[in-house]
Amino acid sequence: MESPEFVPAELDAVVAWRDELDRAGRKLVFTNGCFDILHIGHVRYLREARALGDALAVGLNSDASVRELKGLGRPVNSEGDRAEVLAALACVDRVMVFHDRRVDGLIDRIRPHIYAKGGDHRPETLPPEEREALRRVGAEVRILSLVPGRSTSATISRMGGGGAGTKRRPRLAVLGSGKGSNFRAMLGAINEGRLHADIAVVISDVPGAGILDLARDAGLPHLVVDCGARRARIDAAGAKDLVDRIRASGADLVILAGFMRILEEPVLGAFPERILNLHPSLLPKYPGKDAWVQALRAGEEEAGCTVHLVTAEVDAGPILKQARVPVEPGDTAETLYSRIQVQEHLLLPAAIEEYAANFLPGLQP
Ligand code: GAR
């Protein structure tokens, strides 16, 4: 039987609960953090925090704020998963997710009796706005010692991953609807050492798509996500499934290699600045379908292809890399497109390699 979905506490409910505790003469302890990959250091810290008062509320950094604090490769686990794991601890009474990297707003609302903080902090080294908020609400500040060697980074490092002191190759989720020649080119580039990455999963919206056969033949995880009946869009259930599958694969980057549906929320928000798309034109010219046909019909002397970051506006995100292809006299749509594809096969792996090197610094080979 599937268990009901876990829902983190709403701030208003935590505030009301705090007032109840206060009326009963009981003390609320509040702490906050990322709590990505829970380890014994977290558990001891939270137990100690709980023992300072009568109840413990934890403010959990949202995925976006963890990324801001710790870099693009983090969090390893999503905010929903992290919240549910934390809430399962006997010493944790409430978990709420917060989106700001600063915590003073939350302190002002919750008005904890005791504020617990871990690490090398001393009360006077807390950020000034945090100290100010704690003073305003009259909270007692308690600094708890961390358990040496028991950190998420150390855990990842022991796993041979991208934590402090070690580097691992970026993991790619590749999405495609078609024959997958660009995916094949990525595999070639990986084998030849031009692309230092691993394929986490290949996902298609089209059962039987060639890209899935290529993944199967290469012994790589591959699956179909049912994106719904609306052409070029993804319905709500499909979008949720897509996000879940990509997250479950542990991918650091999502590569659209001929994925013919438009990505919207919640997919975009789940992987901000981590989705790259390949498009067969020199963007911003000719977004949309059959871009090379549009270029040919417009009488362009030059066509090409682009790798760009995916944003809410279709084919309009920041351009990462382009390759140019002259339009030859007598070109047909087919001859032009086949020359563009030759360039695509070089461009996509090169763009991924560059992007990973520049924006996933912890993950380089
Ligand atoms: C590629 O030409 C890519 O540029 C295009 O789909 C093709 C996939 O080919 N993508 C788009 O048009 C996205 N708007 P492939 O399956 O052989 O890699």
Side-chain angles (χ1 to χ4, degrees):
M1 203 183 72
E2 221 175 288
S3 53
E5 198 166 320
F6 170 79
V7 183
E10 292 291 335
L11 181 54
D12 285 346
V14 174
V15 171
W17 172 66
R18 176 265 176 218
D19 289 344
E20 255 173 60
L21 289 168
D22 191 59
R23 281 194 293 275
R26 303 176 71 198
K27 293 209 179 310
L28 174 65
V29 185
F30 175 65
T31 192
N32 64 287
C34 303
F35 299 100
D36 192 14
I37 306 187
L38 215 64
H39 52 75
I40 190 66
H42 288 135
V43 173
R44 289 185 192 160
Y45 170 82
L46 290 168
R47 266 204 214 121
E48 210 182 315
R50 171 68 176 75
L52 296 172
D54 301 296
L56 176 64
V58 181
L60 183 68
N61 283 90
S62 68
D63 289 346
S65 63
V66 175
R67 220 161 6 244
E68 247 184 82
L69 290 164
K70 311 237 172 206
L72 273 179
R74 300 280 296 278
V76 174
N77 291 309
S78 69
E79 62 195 38
D81 289 6
R82 288 182 286 122
E84 189 166 346
V85 169
L86 268 186
L89 295 179
C91 56
V92 173
D93 298 283
R94 295 287 190 282
V95 179
M96 81 215 98
V97 176
F98 72 104
H99 299 274
D100 206 340
R101 58 187 287 179
R102 283 169 44 173
V103 80
D104 44 301
L106 215 51
I107 292 169
D108 270 325
R109 286 295 311 280
I110 297 176
R111 292 170 293 129
H113 301 94
I114 297 153
Y115 180 61
K117 189 90 184 172
D120 311 325
H121 286 287
R122 277 167 289 129
E124 60 278 15
T125 62
L126 293 175
E129 63 282 350
E130 206 165 305
R131 263 186 292 152
E132 193 46 38
L134 291 164
R135 194 195 52 74
R136 271 196 300 274
V137 305
E140 182 191 338
V141 180
R142 298 291 294 268
I143 306 293
L144 308 182
S145 53
L146 291 183
V147 185
R150 271 36 179 253
S151 67
T152 296
S153 304
T155 305
I156 296 173
S157 161
R158 280 196 301 278
M159 290 161 67
T166 69
K167 289 181 174 176
R168 67 174 170 82
R169 291 150 67 97
R171 293 169 59 77
L172 311 178
V174 184
L175 275 53
S177 310
K179 63 185 190 295
S181 70
N182 281 284
F183 170 58
R184 186 193 285 120
M186 287 168 60
L187 291 180
I190 289 172
N191 284 336
E192 289 163 19
R194 282 180 288 122
L195 174 57
H196 299 87
D198 293 310
I199 306 298
V201 68
V202 173
I203 300 177
S204 184
D205 56 327
V206 179
I211 193 169
L212 293 170
D213 296 335
L214 290 172
R216 191 198 50 232
D217 294 348
L220 294 166
H222 55 285
L223 55 99
V224 175
V225 166
D226 181 354
C227 291
R230 283 187 312 156
R231 257 194 67 243
R233 301 270 162 182
I234 305 175
D235 66 17
K240 182 177 182 315
D241 197 20
L242 197 55
V243 170
D244 289 348
R245 301 293 198 147
I246 294 170
R247 283 207 172 119
S249 76
D252 304 294
L253 286 178
V254 180
I255 310 298
L256 307 185
F259 189 66
M260 293 308 188
R261 299 204 187 220
I262 294 168
L263 298 194
E264 295 165 318
E265 294 305 336
V267 184
L268 296 179
F271 310 107
E273 293 177 8
R274 291 206 217 175
I275 310 179
L276 276 57
N277 181 45
L278 170 66
H279 184 79
S281 81
L282 291 173
L283 289 173
K285 280 189 167 178
Y286 313 117
K289 247 181 86 61
D290 297 340
W292 66 96
V293 181
Q294 298 180 49
L296 196 62
R297 286 199 184 130
E300 294 284 355
E301 291 180 354
E302 198 177 45
C305 44
T306 302
V307 175
H308 66 98
L309 280 181
V310 175
T311 55
E313 202 181 333
V314 176
D315 295 334
I319 290 173
L320 301 176
K321 206 170 175 65
Q322 293 188 308
R324 298 173 179 277
V325 175
V327 178
E328 307 284 2
D331 251 342
T332 63
E334 289 70 32
T335 56
L336 177 58
Y337 183 50
S338 65
R339 286 208 311 287
I340 291 175
Q341 281 231 296
V342 171
Q343 291 306 315
E344 285 189 333
H345 297 161
L346 297 171
L347 181 76
L348 183 60
I352 299 168
E353 178 79 357
E354 269 182 39
Y355 190 76
N358 290 327
F359 295 101
L360 301 176
L363 301 184
Q364 291 159 51

